[in-house]
Amino acid sequence: MTQLHGATYRGRRISVACTPARDGDVVCAVSIDGAGYPQLRGNPFASLIAAQVAGISFARAMIDAELDAGVAEHRGYFIRVSSNEQRDGSWIGSYHLHRNDNPVPFRRVACEELRGNTPVEVEEYATACARAALDAEVAAGRL
């Protein structure tokens, strides 16, 4: 029997459908305003509560990624970028990688090889570096 759980976040409707599997695990499907998002990490889950919490957290992070400029989603992981002005007036970008909506990043990296003239420039570079790092980790089977 499929159990539905819903919420509203930042004006968007989140639906989480959880279906128990034969082996006792719970498979979770997430949709936001009727559009499906298959990138949820961790399927199947050990319990209904774990599936619902992960589904809602993932959907909230997806909405943040779509609405906020400093957050992006790539391969089911979330990238948060920032920039810091240096003493010489240049800028350095950095990124944090998160799973679902876990506020604690599992990787923090400063992209010091590029010293840009604007924060936008270095944040775009940091996003590109993060996407390349995620692609390499997934290809190597580490994520």
Side-chain angles (χ1 to χ4, degrees):
M1 177 172 102
T2 301
Q3 294 207 7
L4 296 174
H5 181 73
T8 302
Y9 179 68
R10 296 179 75 174
R12 310 272 307 271
R13 182 74 184 145
I14 301 168
S15 297
V16 178
C18 299
T19 306
R22 289 186 178 158
D23 60 358
D25 290 337
V26 178
V27 178
C28 181
V30 176
S31 65
I32 301 171
D33 290 336
Y37 286 83
Q39 304 98 313
L40 177 65
R41 312 294 291 173
N43 255 333
F45 295 91
S47 69
L48 178 63
I49 289 291
Q52 288 175 340
V53 168
I56 291 294
S57 296
F58 171 78
R60 289 177 57 146
M62 284 299 298
I63 292 169
D64 287 342
E66 292 173 1
L67 299 178
D68 296 342
V71 180
E73 182 273 334
H74 185 65
R75 293 183 170 250
Y77 294 93
F78 293 92
I79 304 165
R80 295 186 191 277
V81 295
S82 61
S83 56
N84 294 311
E85 188 173 13
Q86 304 302 300
R87 289 184 181 182
D88 63 0
S90 64
W91 290 83
I92 291 180
S94 62
Y95 65 86
H96 295 182
L97 299 179
H98 300 260
R99 290 181 181 90
N100 294 334
D101 192 27
N102 188 341
V104 179
F106 67 90
R107 182 168 303 138
R108 296 178 178 156
V109 177
C111 302
E112 295 181 3
E113 58 273 6
L114 173 72
R115 288 184 172 261
N117 295 320
T118 65
V120 173
E121 177 184 11
V122 296
E123 287 176 5
E124 288 174 354
Y125 179 75
T127 301
C129 288
R131 289 176 192 260
L134 280 172
D135 288 341
E137 293 282 326
V138 169
R142 290 188 289 256
L143 291 178

PDB file of all heavy atoms in Angstrom, residues 32-57:
ATOM      1  N   ILE A  32       7.334  17.460  -7.280  1.00  0.00           N
ATOM      2  CA  ILE A  32       7.143  18.851  -6.887  1.00  0.00           C
ATOM      3  C   ILE A  32       6.224  19.481  -7.922  1.00  0.00           C
ATOM      4  O   ILE A  32       6.546  19.502  -9.108  1.00  0.00           O
ATOM      5  CB  ILE A  32       8.488  19.611  -6.827  1.00  0.00           C
ATOM      6  CG1 ILE A  32       9.429  18.934  -5.826  1.00  0.00           C
ATOM      7  CG2 ILE A  32       8.259  21.069  -6.454  1.00  0.00           C
ATOM      8  CD1 ILE A  32      10.844  19.469  -5.865  1.00  0.00           C
ATOM      9  N   ASP A  33       5.077  19.955  -7.464  1.00  0.00           N
ATOM     10  CA  ASP A  33       4.053  20.523  -8.349  1.00  0.00           C
ATOM     11  C   ASP A  33       3.715  19.562  -9.489  1.00  0.00           C
ATOM     12  O   ASP A  33       3.524  19.969 -10.631  1.00  0.00           O
ATOM     13  CB  ASP A  33       4.490  21.883  -8.900  1.00  0.00           C
ATOM     14  CG  ASP A  33       4.521  22.966  -7.835  1.00  0.00           C
ATOM     15  OD1 ASP A  33       3.810  22.821  -6.819  1.00  0.00           O
ATOM     16  OD2 ASP A  33       5.260  23.952  -8.010  1.00  0.00           O
ATOM     17  N   GLY A  34       3.685  18.267  -9.204  1.00  0.00           N
ATOM     18  CA  GLY A  34       3.307  17.253 -10.172  1.00  0.00           C
ATOM     19  C   GLY A  34       4.435  16.721 -11.039  1.00  0.00           C
ATOM     20  O   GLY A  34       4.257  15.737 -11.745  1.00  0.00           O
ATOM     21  N   ALA A  35       5.605  17.336 -11.000  1.00  0.00           N
ATOM     22  CA  ALA A  35       6.748  16.872 -11.804  1.00  0.00           C
ATOM     23  C   ALA A  35       7.608  15.935 -10.965  1.00  0.00           C
ATOM     24  O   ALA A  35       7.968  16.262  -9.838  1.00  0.00           O
ATOM     25  CB  ALA A  35       7.585  18.056 -12.284  1.00  0.00           C
ATOM     26  N   GLY A  36       7.937  14.758 -11.517  1.00  0.00           N
ATOM     27  CA  GLY A  36       8.733  13.771 -10.800  1.00  0.00           C
ATOM     28  C   GLY A  36      10.213  14.130 -10.757  1.00  0.00           C
ATOM     29  O   GLY A  36      10.744  14.724 -11.686  1.00  0.00           O
ATOM     30  N   TYR A  37      10.856  13.767  -9.645  1.00  0.00           N
ATOM     31  CA  TYR A  37      12.294  13.993  -9.452  1.00  0.00           C
ATOM     32  C   TYR A  37      12.935  12.666  -9.044  1.00  0.00           C
ATOM     33  O   TYR A  37      12.942  12.320  -7.869  1.00  0.00           O
ATOM     34  CB  TYR A  37      12.538  15.066  -8.385  1.00  0.00           C
ATOM     35  CG  TYR A  37      12.240  16.454  -8.876  1.00  0.00           C
ATOM     36  CD1 TYR A  37      10.945  16.950  -8.868  1.00  0.00           C
ATOM     37  CD2 TYR A  37      13.246  17.260  -9.377  1.00  0.00           C
ATOM     38  CE1 TYR A  37      10.665  18.219  -9.335  1.00  0.00           C
ATOM     39  CE2 TYR A  37      12.981  18.531  -9.839  1.00  0.00           C
ATOM     40  CZ  TYR A  37      11.687  19.008  -9.821  1.00  0.00           C
ATOM     41  OH  TYR A  37      11.410  20.256 -10.287  1.00  0.00           O
ATOM     42  N   PRO A  38      13.501  11.922 -10.006  1.00  0.00           N
ATOM     43  CA  PRO A  38      14.061  10.596  -9.699  1.00  0.00           C
ATOM     44  C   PRO A  38      15.461  10.617  -9.095  1.00  0.00           C
ATOM     45  O   PRO A  38      16.015   9.571  -8.818  1.00  0.00           O
ATOM     46  CB  PRO A  38      14.086   9.926 -11.075  1.00  0.00           C
ATOM     47  CG  PRO A  38      14.284  11.060 -12.026  1.00  0.00           C
ATOM     48  CD  PRO A  38      13.520  12.225 -11.427  1.00  0.00           C
ATOM     49  N   GLN A  39      16.051  11.793  -8.855  1.00  0.00           N
ATOM     50  CA  GLN A  39      17.435  11.870  -8.406  1.00  0.00           C
ATOM     51  C   GLN A  39      17.620  11.580  -6.924  1.00  0.00           C
ATOM     52  O   GLN A  39      18.734  11.637  -6.426  1.00  0.00           O
ATOM     53  CB  GLN A  39      18.018  13.273  -8.668  1.00  0.00           C
ATOM     54  CG  GLN A  39      17.942  13.721 -10.097  1.00  0.00           C
ATOM     55  CD  GLN A  39      16.748  14.625 -10.347  1.00  0.00           C
ATOM     56  OE1 GLN A  39      15.649  14.338  -9.934  1.00  0.00           O
ATOM     57  NE2 GLN A  39      16.962  15.704 -11.052  1.00  0.00           N
ATOM     58  N   LEU A  40      16.579  11.283  -6.184  1.00  0.00           N
ATOM     59  CA  LEU A  40      16.680  11.050  -4.742  1.00  0.00           C
ATOM     60  C   LEU A  40      17.693   9.955  -4.454  1.00  0.00           C
ATOM     61  O   LEU A  40      17.624   8.869  -5.022  1.00  0.00           O
ATOM     62  CB  LEU A  40      15.318  10.665  -4.165  1.00  0.00           C
ATOM     63  CG  LEU A  40      15.280  10.327  -2.685  1.00  0.00           C
ATOM     64  CD1 LEU A  40      15.634  11.551  -1.854  1.00  0.00           C
ATOM     65  CD2 LEU A  40      13.902   9.831  -2.292  1.00  0.00           C
ATOM     66  N   ARG A  41      18.651  10.242  -3.570  1.00  0.00           N
ATOM     67  CA  ARG A  41      19.694   9.289  -3.204  1.00  0.00           C
ATOM     68  C   ARG A  41      19.220   8.430  -2.034  1.00  0.00           C
ATOM     69  O   ARG A  41      18.481   8.888  -1.187  1.00  0.00           O
ATOM     70  CB  ARG A  41      20.977  10.013  -2.785  1.00  0.00           C
ATOM     71  CG  ARG A  41      21.456  11.114  -3.699  1.00  0.00           C
ATOM     72  CD  ARG A  41      21.903  10.683  -5.038  1.00  0.00           C
ATOM     73  NE  ARG A  41      23.119   9.928  -5.002  1.00  0.00           N
ATOM     74  CZ  ARG A  41      23.623   9.328  -6.047  1.00  0.00           C
ATOM     75  NH1 ARG A  41      23.033   9.388  -7.199  1.00  0.00           N
ATOM     76  NH2 ARG A  41      24.728   8.656  -5.953  1.00  0.00           N
ATOM     77  N   GLY A  42      19.651   7.181  -1.974  1.00  0.00           N
ATOM     78  CA  GLY A  42      19.380   6.326  -0.830  1.00  0.00           C
ATOM     79  C   GLY A  42      18.238   5.346  -0.991  1.00  0.00           C
ATOM     80  O   GLY A  42      17.970   4.571  -0.082  1.00  0.00           O
ATOM     81  N   ASN A  43      17.521   5.374  -2.115  1.00  0.00           N
ATOM     82  CA  ASN A  43      16.418   4.436  -2.326  1.00  0.00           C
ATOM     83  C   ASN A  43      16.952   3.020  -2.455  1.00  0.00           C
ATOM     84  O   ASN A  43      17.972   2.823  -3.106  1.00  0.00           O
ATOM     85  CB  ASN A  43      15.658   4.790  -3.608  1.00  0.00           C
ATOM     86  CG  ASN A  43      14.330   5.444  -3.341  1.00  0.00           C
ATOM     87  OD1 ASN A  43      13.729   5.230  -2.299  1.00  0.00           O
ATOM     88  ND2 ASN A  43      13.874   6.239  -4.285  1.00  0.00           N
ATOM     89  N   PRO A  44      16.349   1.997  -1.901  1.00  0.00           N
ATOM     90  CA  PRO A  44      15.219   2.024  -0.964  1.00  0.00           C
ATOM     91  C   PRO A  44      15.692   2.338   0.463  1.00  0.00           C
ATOM     92  O   PRO A  44      16.858   2.175   0.796  1.00  0.00           O
ATOM     93  CB  PRO A  44      14.654   0.619  -1.057  1.00  0.00           C
ATOM     94  CG  PRO A  44      15.815  -0.231  -1.401  1.00  0.00           C
ATOM     95  CD  PRO A  44      16.732   0.629  -2.249  1.00  0.00           C
ATOM     96  N   PHE A  45      14.740   2.751   1.293  1.00  0.00           N
ATOM     97  CA  PHE A  45      15.027   3.130   2.666  1.00  0.00           C
ATOM     98  C   PHE A  45      14.605   2.023   3.623  1.00  0.00           C
ATOM     99  O   PHE A  45      13.782   1.181   3.290  1.00  0.00           O
ATOM    100  CB  PHE A  45      14.302   4.434   3.011  1.00  0.00           C
ATOM    101  CG  PHE A  45      14.797   5.593   2.211  1.00  0.00           C
ATOM    102  CD1 PHE A  45      14.207   5.933   1.005  1.00  0.00           C
ATOM    103  CD2 PHE A  45      15.880   6.334   2.638  1.00  0.00           C
ATOM    104  CE1 PHE A  45      14.672   6.995   0.250  1.00  0.00           C
ATOM    105  CE2 PHE A  45      16.361   7.399   1.900  1.00  0.00           C
ATOM    106  CZ  PHE A  45      15.750   7.724   0.701  1.00  0.00           C
ATOM    107  N   ALA A  46      15.160   2.044   4.824  1.00  0.00           N
ATOM    108  CA  ALA A  46      14.900   0.985   5.803  1.00  0.00           C
ATOM    109  C   ALA A  46      13.544   1.129   6.473  1.00  0.00           C
ATOM    110  O   ALA A  46      12.987   0.153   6.957  1.00  0.00           O
ATOM    111  CB  ALA A  46      16.001   0.965   6.865  1.00  0.00           C
ATOM    112  N   SER A  47      12.989   2.357   6.522  1.00  0.00           N
ATOM    113  CA  SER A  47      11.710   2.555   7.195  1.00  0.00           C
ATOM    114  C   SER A  47      10.898   3.623   6.479  1.00  0.00           C
ATOM    115  O   SER A  47      11.434   4.419   5.693  1.00  0.00           O
ATOM    116  CB  SER A  47      11.925   2.959   8.660  1.00  0.00           C
ATOM    117  OG  SER A  47      12.467   4.270   8.725  1.00  0.00           O
ATOM    118  N   LEU A  48       9.621   3.664   6.787  1.00  0.00           N
ATOM    119  CA  LEU A  48       8.719   4.653   6.200  1.00  0.00           C
ATOM    120  C   LEU A  48       9.118   6.056   6.622  1.00  0.00           C
ATOM    121  O   LEU A  48       9.165   6.976   5.798  1.00  0.00           O
ATOM    122  CB  LEU A  48       7.277   4.355   6.622  1.00  0.00           C
ATOM    123  CG  LEU A  48       6.221   5.332   6.126  1.00  0.00           C
ATOM    124  CD1 LEU A  48       6.148   5.312   4.616  1.00  0.00           C
ATOM    125  CD2 LEU A  48       4.873   4.996   6.735  1.00  0.00           C
ATOM    126  N   ILE A  49       9.431   6.241   7.892  1.00  0.00           N
ATOM    127  CA  ILE A  49       9.820   7.564   8.393  1.00  0.00           C
ATOM    128  C   ILE A  49      11.092   8.048   7.687  1.00  0.00           C
ATOM    129  O   ILE A  49      11.178   9.211   7.281  1.00  0.00           O
ATOM    130  CB  ILE A  49      10.021   7.533   9.924  1.00  0.00           C
ATOM    131  CG1 ILE A  49       8.685   7.389  10.625  1.00  0.00           C
ATOM    132  CG2 ILE A  49      10.746   8.753  10.420  1.00  0.00           C
ATOM    133  CD1 ILE A  49       7.791   8.606  10.508  1.00  0.00           C
ATOM    134  N   ALA A  50      12.084   7.180   7.547  1.00  0.00           N
ATOM    135  CA  ALA A  50      13.333   7.567   6.870  1.00  0.00           C
ATOM    136  C   ALA A  50      13.056   7.983   5.430  1.00  0.00           C
ATOM    137  O   ALA A  50      13.623   8.967   4.941  1.00  0.00           O
ATOM    138  CB  ALA A  50      14.336   6.426   6.917  1.00  0.00           C
ATOM    139  N   ALA A  51      12.185   7.261   4.753  1.00  0.00           N
ATOM    140  CA  ALA A  51      11.847   7.590   3.363  1.00  0.00           C
ATOM    141  C   ALA A  51      11.129   8.928   3.274  1.00  0.00           C
ATOM    142  O   ALA A  51      11.438   9.749   2.404  1.00  0.00           O
ATOM    143  CB  ALA A  51      10.986   6.481   2.766  1.00  0.00           C
ATOM    144  N   GLN A  52      10.178   9.171   4.169  1.00  0.00           N
ATOM    145  CA  GLN A  52       9.433  10.433   4.140  1.00  0.00           C
ATOM    146  C   GLN A  52      10.338  11.622   4.444  1.00  0.00           C
ATOM    147  O   GLN A  52      10.279  12.647   3.767  1.00  0.00           O
ATOM    148  CB  GLN A  52       8.266  10.396   5.125  1.00  0.00           C
ATOM    149  CG  GLN A  52       7.150   9.496   4.686  1.00  0.00           C
ATOM    150  CD  GLN A  52       6.050   9.372   5.734  1.00  0.00           C
ATOM    151  OE1 GLN A  52       6.255   9.644   6.904  1.00  0.00           O
ATOM    152  NE2 GLN A  52       4.879   8.961   5.290  1.00  0.00           N
ATOM    153  N   VAL A  53      11.175  11.491   5.456  1.00  0.00           N
ATOM    154  CA  VAL A  53      12.078  12.587   5.826  1.00  0.00           C
ATOM    155  C   VAL A  53      13.056  12.870   4.693  1.00  0.00           C
ATOM    156  O   VAL A  53      13.286  14.025   4.327  1.00  0.00           O
ATOM    157  CB  VAL A  53      12.815  12.270   7.144  1.00  0.00           C
ATOM    158  CG1 VAL A  53      13.948  13.243   7.383  1.00  0.00           C
ATOM    159  CG2 VAL A  53      11.849  12.297   8.308  1.00  0.00           C
ATOM    160  N   ALA A  54      13.641  11.831   4.120  1.00  0.00           N
ATOM    161  CA  ALA A  54      14.581  12.017   3.014  1.00  0.00           C
ATOM    162  C   ALA A  54      13.880  12.629   1.803  1.00  0.00           C
ATOM    163  O   ALA A  54      14.443  13.505   1.140  1.00  0.00           O
ATOM    164  CB  ALA A  54      15.239  10.699   2.640  1.00  0.00           C
ATOM    165  N   GLY A  55      12.677  12.185   1.511  1.00  0.00           N
ATOM    166  CA  GLY A  55      11.931  12.706   0.366  1.00  0.00           C
ATOM    167  C   GLY A  55      11.607  14.184   0.516  1.00  0.00           C
ATOM    168  O   GLY A  55      11.816  14.982  -0.405  1.00  0.00           O
ATOM    169  N   ILE A  56      11.102  14.575   1.672  1.00  0.00           N
ATOM    170  CA  ILE A  56      10.761  15.980   1.910  1.00  0.00           C
ATOM    171  C   ILE A  56      12.029  16.838   1.927  1.00  0.00           C
ATOM    172  O   ILE A  56      12.075  17.920   1.346  1.00  0.00           O
ATOM    173  CB  ILE A  56       9.973  16.142   3.226  1.00  0.00           C
ATOM    174  CG1 ILE A  56       8.569  15.527   3.084  1.00  0.00           C
ATOM    175  CG2 ILE A  56       9.878  17.596   3.641  1.00  0.00           C
ATOM    176  CD1 ILE A  56       7.666  16.236   2.106  1.00  0.00           C
ATOM    177  N   SER A  57      13.082  16.353   2.576  1.00  0.00           N
ATOM    178  CA  SER A  57      14.343  17.100   2.626  1.00  0.00           C
ATOM    179  C   SER A  57      14.914  17.292   1.225  1.00  0.00           C
ATOM    180  O   SER A  57      15.383  18.380   0.870  1.00  0.00           O
ATOM    181  CB  SER A  57      15.352  16.376   3.501  1.00  0.00           C
ATOM    182  OG  SER A  57      14.901  16.312   4.821  1.00  0.00           O
TER     183      SER A  57
END
